């Protein structure tokens, strides 16, 4: 069929289904559709319709099937009020995907499925919060978690009277916890050059993860989402083309845990150690290690959800992102190879600083108790000496008189 849809369609008051997909219809979608209260299905996909989707459609409470994709529609799509709770039978498809044939593609947060100019579709994963905003909230939660770890360590130490016995890892070397073969040990240095190298490496890691996080947002116009649904012109059903399975997600989780779990444990230990040693440097180090590690795991999951269409792609993406997380170790090896004498000098300085934290602060409580004990015993000894001296003095005086 060709031509436009007549506006006097409003006269069809008892119309329940209007299925004219896969034709050559032109013009715009009449607003009159919004006044057909019994309309339950409106399929106008694969035509040449232009303009915006009439906002009157949001009046319809019986709609369960809306196919408007593969047209030249623009603007913001109205929200369809499906009866009751939205189910799998409620379908609302528009050209809200990327790339698009028009400059201003359809914006449709309430759509169930979005299609693009390649006639490929994907379930609408748009959320109220962007991926970047979700990531910032996650990082804030990690900082709060670090504070809670400190509080928990202090409570455990007070309840058990001795944190050293209840938490034996508090005696572990701070350099080991930061990573002997990692740039993160530079956090224990006082040299500005070491801090500059650390901040540069840490910044590159964050920027690298950010490159993957941005395109993982389905709401962004330019994104890397893989459109894994096909909604053909000769059918009202969409078929999936992705082969990614639960097994792929499980293997990805195993790979991530095997690579990142050590950093999560050591970062948490550094935070606990900072509670007993009262060292802001250890708290800062542990928090940064935890945040970059969680960011690596989060980015792997988010990016795989957006792009992976097979189990092998899922594992491959995770490995690439885990390589970014190991840039601190790669940078350490490069600097150690290029500047061995400087690195040796820095290592000695870091060991001295770590010793001042591990030995002096770890034993501060013990030394304080020993000092208090010595101070409390000192007056008793002095008094005994004074009594003996007075006794001897009186005996000497008596012998002299005699």
């Amino acid at each position: 069929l060709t031509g436009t849809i007549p506006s006097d369609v409003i006269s069809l008051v008892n119309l329940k289904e209007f299925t004219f997909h896969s034709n050559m219809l032109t013009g715009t979608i009449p607003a009159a559709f919004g006044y057909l209260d019994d309309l339950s299905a409106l399929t106008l996909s694969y035509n040449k319709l232009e303009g915006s989707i009439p906002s009157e459609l949001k009046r319809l409470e019986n709609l369960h099937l809306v196919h408007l994709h593969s047209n030249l529609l623009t603007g913001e799509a109205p929200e369809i009020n499906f009866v009751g709770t939205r189910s799998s039978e409620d379908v609302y498809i528009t050209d809200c995907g990327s790339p698009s044939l028009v400059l201003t593609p359809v914006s449709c947060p309430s759509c169930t499925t979005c299609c693009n100019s390649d006639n490929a579709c994907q379930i609408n994963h748009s959320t109220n919060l962007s991926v970047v905003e979700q990531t910032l909230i996650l990082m804030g939660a990690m900082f709060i978690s670090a504070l809670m770890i400190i509080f928990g360590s202090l409570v455990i130490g007070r309840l058990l009277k001795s944190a050293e016995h209840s938490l034996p890892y508090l005696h572990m070397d701070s350099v080991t916890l930061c990573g002997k073969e990692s740039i993160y040990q530079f956090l224990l240095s006082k040299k500005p050059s070491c801090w500059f190298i650390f901040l540069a490496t840490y910044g590159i890691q964050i920027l690298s993860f950010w490159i993957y996080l941005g395109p993982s947002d389905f709401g962004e116009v330019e994104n890397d989402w893989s459109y894994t649904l096909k909604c053909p012109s000769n059918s009202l059903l969409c078929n999936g083309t992705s082969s990614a399975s639960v097994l792929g997600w499980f293997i990805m989780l195993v790979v991530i845990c095997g690579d990142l779990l050590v950093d999560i444990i050591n970062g948490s230990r550094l935070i606990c150690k900072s509670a007993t040693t009262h060292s802001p440097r250890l708290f800062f180090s542990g928090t940064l290690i935890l945040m970059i590690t969680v960011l690596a795991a989060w980015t792997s999951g988010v990016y795989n959800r957006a792009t992976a269409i097979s189990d092998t792609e899922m594992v491959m993406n995770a490995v690439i992102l885990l390589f970014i997380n190991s840039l601190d170790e790669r940078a350490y090896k490069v600097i150690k190879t290029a500047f061995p004498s400087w690195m040796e000098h820095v290592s000695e300085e870091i060991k001295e600083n770590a010793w001042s934290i591990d030995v002096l602060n770890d034993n501060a409580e013990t030394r304080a108790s020993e000092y208090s004990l010595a101070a409390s015993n000192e007056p008793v000894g002095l008094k005994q000496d004074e009594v003996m001296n007075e006794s001897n003095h009186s005996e000497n005086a008596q012998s002299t008189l005699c």
Side-chain angles (χ1 to χ4, degrees):
L1 297 176
T2 60
T4 61
I5 303 173
S7 59
D8 57 0
V9 70
I10 192 174
S11 61
L12 305 174
V13 292
N14 295 322
L15 185 65
K16 292 186 177 181
E17 295 184 3
F18 191 89
T19 57
F20 281 83
H21 58 280
S22 303
N23 286 287
M24 298 292 288
L25 298 177
T26 58
T28 61
I29 300 175
F33 280 116
Y35 298 93
L36 303 177
D37 294 335
D38 292 333
L39 191 65
S40 62
L42 177 63
T43 60
L44 295 171
S45 55
Y46 291 96
N47 282 286
K48 295 183 179 298
L49 298 173
E50 299 176 342
S52 60
I53 302 172
S55 59
E56 286 79 5
L57 292 181
K58 65 184 179 182
R59 294 183 63 257
L60 302 178
E61 297 182 352
N62 294 320
L63 272 179
H64 288 282
L65 180 65
V66 182
H67 281 201
L68 301 176
H69 56 285
S70 296
N71 282 289
L72 300 174
L73 300 172
T74 60
E76 186 170 351
E79 182 177 356
I80 303 299
N81 298 314
F82 294 107
V83 178
T85 305
R86 178 178 289 185
S87 66
S88 59
E89 298 179 355
D90 298 324
V91 180
Y92 185 15
I93 308 176
T94 66
D95 292 323
C96 50
S98 175
S100 175
L101 291 175
V102 295
L103 294 177
T104 56
V106 175
S107 174
C108 187
S110 63
C111 283
T112 59
T113 307
C114 289
C115 296
N116 59 19
S117 59
D118 299 327
N119 292 330
C121 304
Q122 178 59 278
I123 296 174
N124 189 358
H125 292 280
S126 297
T127 58
N128 294 329
L129 294 176
S130 66
V131 171
V132 172
E133 291 172 336
Q134 295 174 25
T135 304
L136 293 176
I137 293 175
L138 178 63
M139 293 300 99
M142 287 305 304
F143 182 78
I144 295 175
S145 300
L147 295 177
M148 294 179 64
I149 291 174
I150 283 188
F151 178 76
S153 300
L154 292 175
V155 170
I156 292 175
R158 288 178 179 273
L159 291 177
L160 299 179
K161 305 286 186 175
S162 175
E164 285 86 1
H165 291 89
S166 61
L167 302 174
Y169 59 79
L170 294 179
H171 289 296
M172 293 181 65
D173 181 17
S174 296
V175 177
T176 302
L177 294 177
C178 286
K180 289 185 176 180
E181 299 292 326
S182 170
I183 289 294
Y184 292 154
Q185 67 172 280
F186 284 9
L187 287 164
L188 302 176
S189 175
K190 297 180 181 179
K191 294 181 177 294
S193 57
C194 291
W195 275 84
F196 174 80
I197 294 173
F198 162 75
L199 292 175
T201 305
Y202 201 81
I204 291 174
Q205 287 179 302
I206 292 178
L207 288 176
S208 299
F209 287 131
W210 227 254
I211 290 175
Y212 285 89
L213 284 173
S216 302
D217 194 339
F218 193 83
E220 293 292 330
V221 176
E222 298 293 334
N223 60 67
D224 290 346
W225 270 83
S226 296
Y227 286 68
T228 58
L229 294 177
K230 290 294 183 182
C231 301
S233 59
N234 59 352
S235 174
L236 296 180
L237 299 177
C238 298
N239 303 312
T241 60
S242 175
S243 62
S245 65
V246 176
L247 177 62
W249 282 101
F250 176 75
I251 297 299
M252 187 203 74
L253 182 62
V254 171
V255 171
I256 290 176
C257 290
D259 191 86
L260 301 181
L261 202 55
V262 173
D263 290 339
I264 292 177
I265 294 174
N266 286 339
S268 302
R269 286 175 171 177
L270 278 170
I271 296 173
C272 292
K273 192 178 181 70
S274 70
T276 58
T277 60
H278 307 289
S279 172
R281 187 183 294 270
L282 292 187
F283 171 77
F284 186 63
S285 303
T287 302
L288 288 179
I289 292 174
L290 271 183
M291 291 178 71
I292 198 66
T293 305
V294 172
L295 181 60
W298 166 259
T299 306
S300 297
V302 170
Y303 191 73
N304 270 320
R305 177 171 174 257
T307 64
I309 61 175
S310 66
D311 293 342
T312 53
E313 280 191 15
M314 197 175 297
V315 176
M316 183 177 64
N317 290 339
V319 171
I320 293 174
L321 290 167
L322 291 177
F323 175 80
I324 296 175
N325 187 67
S326 65
L327 284 179
D328 55 294
E329 298 173 358
R330 307 286 177 178
Y332 179 86
K333 290 181 180 179
V334 170
I335 295 175
K336 186 177 181 179
T337 303
F339 309 100
S341 58
W342 181 82
M343 182 62 77
E344 184 178 354
H345 177 71
V346 168
S347 298
E348 290 298 325
E349 189 253 346
I350 290 174
K351 289 179 182 179
E352 291 178 1
N353 294 336
W355 182 85
S356 66
I357 296 174
D358 297 337
V359 177
L360 298 182
N361 289 333
D362 279 352
N363 296 332
E365 204 172 300
T366 304
R367 294 200 318 274
S369 61
E370 291 176 352
Y371 179 81
S372 300
L373 181 62
S376 61
N377 291 334
E378 183 178 0
V380 176
L382 289 175
K383 288 180 180 179
Q384 291 177 349
D385 292 341
E386 289 175 359
V387 171
M388 293 180 64
N389 289 335
E390 288 179 0
S391 176
N392 293 333
H393 180 71
S394 59
E395 291 178 359
N396 292 333
Q398 290 178 1
S399 61
T400 302
L401 289 174
C402 293

